[in-house]
Amino acid sequence: ISVRWLLCYYRRRPWPSHRPSLAELETTYTKMGKGSCGTVDAGTDVGLKRSMGLFGSVKELTAAFYDGWVGNNSNFSVAEKEEKDVQEMKSAPRVKRGDKSEFSMDEVVEHNTKQDCWIVIKGSVYDVTEFAPSHPGGQAIYSMGGRDATDVFAAFHDGRTWGKLKQYKIGTVTDAESKATALMKDFREMRQQMVSEGLFKSSMLYYVFKLLSTFGLAVASYLVLQAYPASIVGFMASTFLIALFWQQSGWLSHDFCHNQVFKNRAVGHVFGMLTGNIFQGFSVAWWKNKHNTHHAVPNELHGDQPQDPDIDTLPFIAWDEGQLKNVSPGVRKLVRVQHWLFGPILLFARISWATQSIQYAMEIKDPMTCFIETTGIMIHYTWMLSIPFLSGYSILGCLGFLLVAEMIAGFLLAFVFIQSHNGMEVYGDAKDFASSQLVSTRNIHYGIVNDWFSGGLNLQIEHHLFPTMPRHNLGKAAGHVQKFCAKHSVVYENVGWCEGTTKVIARLREISKLA
């Protein structure tokens, strides 16, 4: 009751007068459709503001807290900003259905804003301006404004979603086929071959084992601390095990939210929340909105503005010279030593993500969704604090346990993430789907240990090309992708952990000299 009252007070709105029935929930899920890249619940705040990046800009993070906690009483709150965006969208002049039925790609390119957003899929033009704010996959749809989104759409959605497109169709493009390169035609054939080989089918037995073995890490952490509560070795072993539990839970939530495991989107969402909100302590709504955009435009930079939230890491880290165009002298000083600060910064990565996640969950518009998301996170922290508390630790000791575990988990998570894209090409001009994934992504040698530690994300190239493919089949897909890259003279970067880390640090040092 107290939690419900606090949430309603924070959102300044009454609690819903009734609980939604199963029929109502089913209707909601049906309306949302299945986005294989994951979905964001109805009522979630999506697409009207940029997601913060790896560590979050200090300026953006401060502004987010200000708007979240003080915005209701300020002269210009988050809600008012969103309302302004909506009004601009409604007032923007747009082509009406029937006014014109054929467009060139040059005409489509002009419709690339939140107020006027068109996309092209298989030669048809769709005006998704009014749909985009409620897009189940979050703001990723805006990254495709004015572009051919055929292959991005195919990678993220299953067959049932294609039928929902017709209501947004306003015409066709006259030169779509001429834009399709030989590389993309071969890529589409390769994907169809993998479908026929069953590589997109998941193994339930594999994921049952992963769930049980991952949960076992949390149990082991509790037992170790119970056995050695006064030992520094026992304390560190327990915090390491719980940090490993969070890391492995993150990989599982990633799989569930990409709909790699279940055909039923609702079931995948439930397991995503279990392993995400409760096991790991991250809002899955926040994660989906951020992560789907990253998948659509990895390492893409327009001017000094990252389109990919995962490279939006200033003021601490710059991945490209273009990011330094309009930064302050103080930020330049930080960037000059970024290759020295990089390792220590990773320790605080999870704390930054958790802060962003909580803030995002509390700003979700729909009261029920907000309640579910925040309650899951509350359960997580109550559970985690109970581990040291039941071993006789004081409140301060419990917080110390949590802080140490957060820092270890931050390093374990971020160390895997940086291998995937950091130090790879940062590009400004939009590329076709396959090229954008290949030039910006590297693999780490695969094997039993590497696959387990990284949750299959060491096969990042295959995952980015086929995000709905279960991780246990990515190794089988690798052979196809290597042949594809060799045919088209595209670099397939596959290195070890040490070489990957060396390349990342070398890139940081290179940029630091330009600051």
Side-chain angles (χ1 to χ4, degrees):
I1 294 173
S2 297
V3 169
R4 185 171 76 171
W5 183 87
L6 285 170
L7 288 172
C8 292
Y9 177 81
Y10 170 78
R11 296 308 304 157
R12 299 293 199 275
R13 60 165 58 89
W15 187 255
S17 58
H18 74 288
R19 288 186 177 184
S21 65
L22 290 176
E24 288 175 311
L25 289 174
E26 182 63 30
T27 300
T28 300
Y29 282 130
T30 301
K31 287 180 179 179
M32 290 195 304
K34 178 187 178 188
S36 296
C37 57
T39 60
V40 177
D41 301 287
T44 300
D45 174 15
V46 294
L48 293 178
K49 56 185 178 182
R50 246 176 57 195
S51 175
M52 287 179 279
L54 177 62
F55 307 108
S57 161
V58 168
K59 179 179 178 181
E60 288 182 347
L61 192 56
T62 303
F65 272 113
Y66 179 81
D67 287 335
W69 294 103
V70 186
N72 288 323
N73 298 317
S74 66
N75 292 328
F76 195 53
S77 67
V78 171
E80 290 171 326
K81 292 176 184 176
E82 293 173 357
E83 181 63 26
K84 181 174 180 289
D85 279 339
V86 171
Q87 292 302 322
E88 287 179 357
M89 177 267 289
K90 291 180 178 179
S91 62
R94 298 201 304 276
V95 173
K96 295 181 180 179
R97 187 174 302 195
D99 288 354
K100 187 176 181 180
S101 61
E102 290 188 346
F103 307 90
S104 68
M105 280 303 298
D106 289 337
E107 289 178 285
V108 173
V109 167
E110 296 177 0
H111 302 269
N112 61 359
T113 67
K114 292 180 180 180
Q115 292 75 36
D116 186 15
C117 187
W118 292 8
I119 60 174
V120 174
I121 299 175
K122 284 193 171 182
S124 296
V125 182
Y126 301 93
D127 184 348
V128 295
T129 309
E130 295 185 2
F131 166 72
S134 60
H135 174 230
Q139 67 178 9
I141 193 170
Y142 288 120
S143 66
M144 289 292 106
R147 303 191 196 186
D148 189 324
T150 301
D151 297 284
V152 175
F153 187 89
F156 290 162
H157 302 83
D158 73 356
R160 289 174 290 179
T161 313
W162 290 85
K164 301 179 183 296
L165 288 172
K166 58 184 179 181
Q167 59 187 306
Y168 305 108
K169 184 175 178 178
I170 59 173
T172 58
V173 286
T174 55
D175 54 350
E177 190 59 34
S178 64
K179 299 287 186 180
T181 63
L183 181 143
M184 284 309 303
K185 290 177 181 178
D186 285 350
F187 171 76
R188 293 165 187 171
E189 291 177 5
M190 176 176 64
R191 190 180 192 282
Q192 285 304 312
Q193 182 180 351
M194 291 181 183
V195 170
S196 64
E197 292 178 5
L199 297 187
F200 288 85
K201 295 179 180 179
S202 65
S203 166
M204 290 298 106
L205 186 62
Y206 174 84
Y207 280 103
V208 168
F209 168 75
K210 292 302 297 181
L211 272 170
L212 293 177
S213 60
T214 298
F215 185 76
L217 292 170
V219 175
S221 173
Y222 170 76
L223 294 176
V224 167
L225 202 59
Q226 282 284 314
Y228 307 100
S231 167
I232 186 64
V233 175
F235 177 88
M236 292 305 300
S238 182
T239 55
F240 180 80
L241 286 168
I242 208 67
L244 203 55
F245 168 64
W246 292 341
Q247 185 215 41
Q248 294 296 313
S249 296
W251 306 153
L252 275 174
S253 184
H254 172 270
D255 292 358
F256 289 127
C257 291
H258 267 301
N259 286 343
Q260 296 176 6
V261 185
F262 300 104
K263 290 184 179 180
N264 188 311
R265 188 210 64 83
V267 176
H269 179 72
V270 169
F271 277 89
M273 289 202 69
L274 172 67
T275 52
N277 292 58
I278 297 176
F279 282 16
Q280 191 190 197
F282 284 1
S283 162
V284 295
W286 164 80
W287 179 88
K288 289 173 183 178
N289 198 47
K290 175 179 181 292
H291 190 69
N292 294 344
T293 303
H294 158 69
H295 262 272
V297 286
N299 280 12
E300 187 169 325
L301 181 74
H302 290 179
D304 63 344
Q305 295 298 314
Q307 304 305 297
D308 177 2
D310 281 8
I311 62 170
D312 189 8
T313 52
L314 285 173
F316 302 109
I317 301 293
W319 297 106
D320 186 82
E321 182 182 1
Q323 291 179 271
L324 301 175
K325 289 180 180 178
N326 297 306
V327 299
S328 67
V331 171
R332 288 182 179 273
K333 288 180 180 179
L334 280 174
V335 172
R336 287 181 194 131
V337 293
Q338 62 179 7
H339 51 298
W340 294 108
L341 297 176
F342 187 60
I345 284 175
L346 297 186
L347 295 171
F348 298 94
R350 181 181 152 84
I351 295 174
S352 174
W353 291 323
T355 303
Q356 295 173 37
S357 170
I358 293 170
Q359 172 71 10
Y360 187 96
M362 294 183 73
E363 289 184 346
I364 293 174
K365 292 180 179 180
D366 179 65
M368 180 60 73
T369 304
C370 176
F371 177 76
I372 293 172
E373 287 277 346
T374 52
T375 299
I377 296 173
M378 288 178 184
I379 292 172
H380 166 81
Y381 283 106
T382 302
W383 175 20
M384 292 304 112
L385 288 170
S386 71
I387 293 176
F389 183 78
L390 293 175
S391 296
Y393 281 70
S394 65
I395 296 298
L396 189 60
C398 292
L399 293 175
F401 177 91
L402 191 65
L403 177 61
V404 173
E406 291 276 359
M407 295 176 74
I408 296 173
F411 190 88
L412 293 177
L413 286 163
F415 180 73
V416 173
F417 293 153
I418 65 169
Q419 309 290 337
S420 302
H421 304 282
N422 297 149
M424 297 297 290
E425 180 179 335
V426 176
Y427 56 93
D429 296 327
K431 299 179 181 291
D432 63 64
F433 175 74
S435 297
S436 67
Q437 310 302 321
L438 288 166
V439 303
S440 63
T441 311
R442 81 163 58 84
N443 278 3
I444 299 297
H445 297 321
Y446 52 91
I448 295 176
V449 176
N450 282 1
D451 292 353
W452 171 80
F453 178 72
S454 65
L457 296 183
N458 54 321
L459 290 164
Q460 190 75 195
I461 293 174
E462 286 71 25
H463 169 60
H464 259 253
L465 291 172
F466 314 106
T468 61
M469 183 179 290
R471 75 165 94 158
H472 55 74
N473 287 334
L474 293 175
K476 299 175 183 177
H480 293 288
V481 177
Q482 288 171 11
K483 292 178 182 177
F484 168 79
C485 289
K487 177 180 178 180
H488 292 278
S489 301
V490 177
V491 174
Y492 180 92
E493 181 151 332
N494 185 26
V495 300
W497 292 109
C498 292
E499 186 177 351
T501 304
T502 300
K503 290 191 172 192
V504 171
I505 295 175
R507 179 61 174 169
L508 290 172
R509 187 177 182 184
E510 178 185 341
I511 299 300
S512 72
K513 295 178 179 178
L514 302 174

